[in-house]
Amino acid sequence: MVEESGEPQILDQEAVSFTSASIGQAADGIAMEVSNGQAVDGTAVEATDGMAAKASPWQTTDEKAASIPMSSKTEKTAGNDFEITTDDLKDVVYIPSTQRMQTSSMHGGVVKGKRVNFRTVLVKGILWAFLGAILAFALQESLGSLTSGTRFLRNWGYGEVAAFIEKIENMGDTNDIDDLNELYDLQAQIQISEGELVSVINMSHNLESSFFAAFIAFGLGLLMGVGEGVYYGSKEKTLKYAGIGAGIALVIGFVSGYIAQTMYTILLSDEASSFASAFTRGVGWSIMGLGVGLSIGLIRPEKKRMLYCTLGGLGGGFLGGFLFNYVYLIVNFGYRDTGTAARAVGIIIMGLLIGLGIGLLEQFAKQAWLKVTRGEFEGKEYLVFAGTTSIGNSGKNAIVLFKDKLVGPNHCDIILDGYKYVLIDKGTPMGTVVNGMRISRHILNKGDTIAIGNTVMVFNTK
């Protein structure tokens, strides 16, 4: 119904249920139920097999062009490959745009832009880093024997040296006379110079530490990469992000382990204090954390985000490495203890600290973001990146709203044009609504409320 002034009246604020017998179409916040070719206000509409309603008479030319009829048969539109049938919408309840705008305040409304979203830090950073640390520990324990220093020595033809080192490790701090005599016998069997002995032992330790750090970095990078893909709802990108995270972290982790062991050898003496030992380990592990942070930053390569993720990993790795020595002293079960429990606790603590560091500093790096205030993903926060941030229910988008069936495969884009963020609708049937008005192109301002399908988001900037 249209008033004499030419302005449309809002017919209904209640949810319109889509069924095979009736399909609701919303434009500019107007809910219209079409049934058997008749609109609710009595205005005749043209009905086809798909019961598609004509564009409302008060729509602009751009809006009419964006009004694409839906059919009960699956159809593809020229502008957007939006496949949907009445069967798909059988259990979907559509909430009219006006009602969504009016009630969104109950679910956040015009949200004040919090600089740090701790829920995001927990889900994207800490949770997946914890799972990654568990995986890293499992990899280290299962594959560590294959990359031990003594195995390298045997492969290089230094079996006597390997046996000598294994005896020292098994003896611990005991002074049993039989063990000492056996140790002297093994030492007598070594027929190489002292210089060569020191060199091959150091090399074997360096490689063992390299693989140790690589396994840890690989587990953290892999699972945190998976977390990025899962958080943004993209199954397709989950494997890609996991590959980036694991690959880069593995390489830098290997290098960091080698550097760390070299530092221990050069800087630490047998009489080094526990603080000096912890500090040196912290420096070595910080390089591994740097690799994990950089791998996560490269998933979405923006300079500031890469820097902050790298710094977060660096700080988390340092604290984890520094605390590892003290954890080992606390979680120790005597000279026969192999250190398994201490390694498990230390690796998990380090993983959590790296995840926390990356998650927190990523929050400080963000320039613009969307906070979901209504819909399946309520409370979730999505970063808006430089260039184009695409939104839709296809995994190819930067932000994937895969649970909302009323969202098109590529529903809309947010483009950074200079210093302005521009929202562009991609010609989907449901349209894109900003602050209650259907738009084709809109320059976003802080606090703008965006309705896409049944999802409402609030745009924020720093």
Side-chain angles (χ1 to χ4, degrees), residues 158-205:
Y158 296 99
E160 298 85 358
V161 178
F164 177 71
I165 292 176
E166 286 175 342
K167 184 60 183 178
I168 293 176
E169 293 174 347
N170 291 332
M171 284 177 60
D173 297 328
T174 62
N175 293 313
D176 183 83
I177 189 64
D178 292 332
D179 286 335
L180 290 174
N181 287 333
E182 184 180 352
L183 183 64
Y184 294 144
D185 290 340
L186 290 171
Q187 186 177 12
Q189 296 175 20
I190 299 174
Q191 301 297 317
I192 59 175
S193 67
E194 183 177 349
E196 185 179 355
L197 176 64
V198 171
S199 176
V200 296
I201 289 177
N202 286 342
M203 180 64 71
S204 67
H205 285 167

Side-chain angles (χ1 to χ4, degrees), residues 94-116:
Y94 173 68
I95 301 173
S97 300
T98 303
Q99 184 176 341
R100 282 179 286 163
M101 296 299 106
Q102 292 176 347
T103 60
S104 64
S105 59
M106 296 186 297
H107 301 267
V110 180
V111 179
K112 293 182 178 180
K114 292 190 296 183
R115 188 64 182 271
V116 177

